[in-house]
Structures are given as structure tokens and as C-alpha cells.
Amino acid sequence: MTPISVLDLSPVPEGTDAGASLRNTLDLARHAERWGYRRYWLAEHHNMPGIASAATAVVIGHVAAGTSSIRVGAGGIMLPNHSPLMVAEAFGTLAALHPGRIDLGLGRAPGTDMLTARALRRNLSGDVDQFPRDVVELMSYFKPVEEGQRVQAVPGAGLDVPVWILGSSLYGAQLAAMLGLPYAFASHFAPADLEHAVAIYRERFEPSEQLDRPYVMLGLSVIAAETDEEARLLFTSQQQSFVNIRTGRPGKLPPPQPGYYESLEPMARAMLDQTLSCAVVGSPATVRRGVAEFARRTGADELMVTGHIFDHSARLRSYEILADAHRELSRAA
């Protein structure tokens, strides 16, 4: 059965703060490690009151220090916000502290609005070719230092830090294929180009030192509970959050709201149906069928699962149900 991993944005529910969310992140990571998840990734977002993982490398260090075997990484670092050398030093430091456990996923988007992007970078200068050049430069800092090399990442040089390309369009697929890197597609919130992007990546993949064949990880939202009805209620927190963001009202993660989807205007419903089409919501049996079907349909090499659930205990239970379903599917396979 396709391996499963966790994508965590450290959601901040209404009535709580970032500190509580980051403690919950570590708690979930420890459970995920025990339940057999392969990776635990954090994502970079800025100026988002409902997301506590802006300082992504810091949170990765927090999680890696509190676990012992699960791979921990970035899904991802938004490279236009940083210099390649600083990213190499940060993840080199993480790799030095936690050998063989750190992943580095790189994205081209800012992970925020343009005003905040300007505050992060001080300016928005650059061209369309800058991201590929920055990726290549960053990867060069992880190679052993060559004689006469005047700039090196310390820590970083010579360390094992696998680099991934993240994407929600065809651009990332083409770059990952050209560089021979593993590719993670954000189908959990941008599914429109899923099939086309994966096809392009697999068709154009060129083997590299890091990878000899294409490797695709796909995002999937999973909300699991004891019954379909309970899971659909929990899912309304994520639905509210997406609508709030799309209408310019980002905030903390709202509590579940009975009848929320039914109360929306047709245009808002259509937006949710499209944006969250790669979601499995329901009881253990529903989740087992839905995850198996998604893995079969896409041929994913790995699934990166996310789920924004208001109550932390319900969130833990959701990931536990998924882990149980995954074990059952693995035994059947």
C-alpha cells in the first residue's frame, strides 16, 4: 500500500494561540511516529492568523527534537522569500542535529499576499528564471566543498538533505523532472492540474544523483471520525477556513458549524467542491475506500495527508483512524 505522511500547518483554532498550536503539532508528530507515518512536514505561510508554522525551520527543529525516527521536513520552504545560502545553513543545521531525518521541499510561491511578500524580501525584483537558479544554487551548498570554493554552507556542505520540488501547476512538474528530483503536488487545495502535472513529470523525468526514477507524492485532505456524519461536521472547520481566505477574511480555524455547507451560496459551494475535491471525509470504512481509490487512480508513490480539525483530540483520532485503515489496506495488498 502507498506510504502515508503528514502535512501540518500548525492550525490555530479560535480561542487558542500559536503556542498551544505548536505544542499540539509536537503531540501529533509523536503519535504519527508511533502510528507508522513516514514523514511529518511543516509548511511556510506568513501573515495568516490561523497558521503557526511561519518560521518553518524552527518548528521542524522543535518536532525533530521531540521525536526519534520519523522524517521531518518542509512542505515547503518558499524559496523566493530566502537566500539559498541561508536555507542551506538552516537545513544543514537541522541535518547535523538529526542525521538522516530531514527533508527540504521547495516552493516558488510566496506563501502569502504581495504586501507581506514585500515585507519579507524588501523588494519583489527578479525574473521567471530565478527560482530554478536558486534551487540549483541551494543544492550546490549540500555538495562536498571543492578546492578553492570561497562560499560554503556551514553546517550544510556534504550533508544528506534530500531536496523536493513542490507545485500546484505544470511549472514545478517540469522543473522537478528536469533536475531529477522528487515531486510533491498540492492536490489537497489545488487539484485542477493534478493529472497533467503528474504525467508531465513522469514522462520528462531525467535521472539524477538523488533519484533514479520519478517519485510523486500527492496531497490529500482526510477527515476521519466514527461516523460519516461526525466527519462531515468536523470538515466544516476546514470549509469555513477556505471560504474565509478566498473572501479576504483570513482568521483562526473556526469551530465546526452544523449545516455550514448547505448555507452557502452556489458560487461558494462550487469553489469548495473544486478546491477540496481531493478530500476523503467519513467513517473508518469510508476513509479506507476513499484513500485506496485515490491511490489507485493517481498511482501516487506516497500520500501527504492533511486535515484541519478544530479539536485536537478529534484531530488525533482522525489520523489514528487513517493509520488503522492504512494497515488494513497494506495487509490486504
Side-chain angles (χ1 to χ4, degrees):
M1 180 57 192
T2 308
I4 53 174
S5 297
V6 176
L7 174 63
D8 181 14
L9 276 63
S10 289
V12 185
E14 291 181 6
T16 67
D17 58 21
S21 296
L22 294 170
R23 288 188 288 273
N24 287 341
T25 280
L26 179 55
D27 186 50
L28 176 57
R30 287 169 169 164
H31 280 85
E33 184 173 69
R34 291 200 299 271
W35 291 332
Y37 286 86
R38 175 170 288 186
R39 309 174 203 276
Y40 197 98
W41 279 11
L42 287 304
E44 178 186 346
H45 294 271
H46 300 278
N47 197 28
M48 301 282 283
I51 296 176
S53 55
T56 315
V58 178
V59 185
I60 290 170
H62 171 62
V63 171
T67 54
S68 59
S69 59
I70 194 169
R71 295 194 68 90
V72 187
I77 292 295
M78 301 298 104
L79 192 51
N81 299 337
H82 313 277
S83 75
L85 177 60
M86 290 190 68
V87 175
E89 289 174 339
F91 279 79
T93 300
L94 290 168
L97 291 169
H98 310 285
R101 294 181 57 205
I102 301 300
D103 297 325
L104 173 55
L106 300 173
R108 183 172 64 119
T112 188
D113 58 88
M114 286 298 101
L115 182 64
T116 306
R118 188 178 297 277
L120 285 164
R121 309 180 207 171
R122 313 313 297 176
N123 66 73
L124 296 178
S125 63
D127 58 64
V128 294
D129 296 322
Q130 191 62 46
F131 180 66
R133 287 201 297 265
D134 284 350
V135 172
V136 171
E137 179 185 343
L138 193 157
M139 292 172 61
S140 74
Y141 290 125
F142 292 131
K143 294 180 179 179
V145 176
E146 298 180 355
E147 185 176 354
Q149 181 176 332
R150 300 184 63 186
V151 178
Q152 56 183 281
V154 184
L159 295 182
D160 177 23
V161 183
V163 172
W164 295 63
I165 297 296
L166 312 183
S168 58
S169 68
L170 306 184
Y171 182 94
Q174 296 174 74
L175 179 61
M178 181 181 69
L179 296 178
L181 298 177
Y183 179 52
F185 187 84
S187 37
H188 58 292
F189 74 86
D193 289 325
L194 167 59
E195 294 181 3
H196 194 187
V198 171
I200 285 176
Y201 171 68
R202 288 174 171 155
E203 291 168 2
R204 301 184 184 181
F205 181 84
E206 300 180 14
S208 67
E209 292 181 6
Q210 180 173 329
L211 199 62
D212 62 356
R213 64 184 65 184
Y215 192 93
V216 175
M217 180 158 59
L218 300 181
L220 179 67
S221 290
V222 176
I223 306 291
E226 305 308 324
T227 66
D228 288 346
E229 182 181 22
E230 182 184 354
R232 286 193 293 267
L233 177 60
L234 295 176
F235 191 41
T236 62
S237 292
Q238 187 164 325
Q239 291 173 326
Q240 292 175 76
S241 180
F242 269 94
V243 170
N244 290 342
I245 290 172
R246 291 297 178 90
T247 55
R249 298 177 292 114
K252 293 184 177 182
L253 186 66
Q257 181 178 325
Y260 175 74
Y261 179 81
E262 294 74 15
S263 72
L264 294 173
E265 297 292 331
M267 187 175 295
R269 288 193 202 181
M271 182 275 290
L272 283 178
D273 291 343
Q274 192 282 325
T275 302
L276 301 178
S277 61
C278 292
V280 178
V281 180
S283 65
T286 299
V287 165
R288 188 166 57 249
R289 287 193 302 270
V291 170
E293 169 57 23
F294 182 78
R296 183 202 63 77
R297 176 171 62 85
T298 62
D301 297 295
E302 189 170 339
L303 299 180
M304 178 63 74
V305 177
T306 189
H308 293 232
I309 297 176
F310 181 80
D311 179 73
H312 181 60
S313 61
R315 188 171 179 233
L316 290 177
R317 180 58 182 144
S318 178
Y319 278 101
E320 183 180 24
I321 289 171
L322 175 58
D324 290 341
H326 185 263
R327 279 191 291 272
E328 292 180 19
L329 291 169
S330 298
R331 284 195 295 268

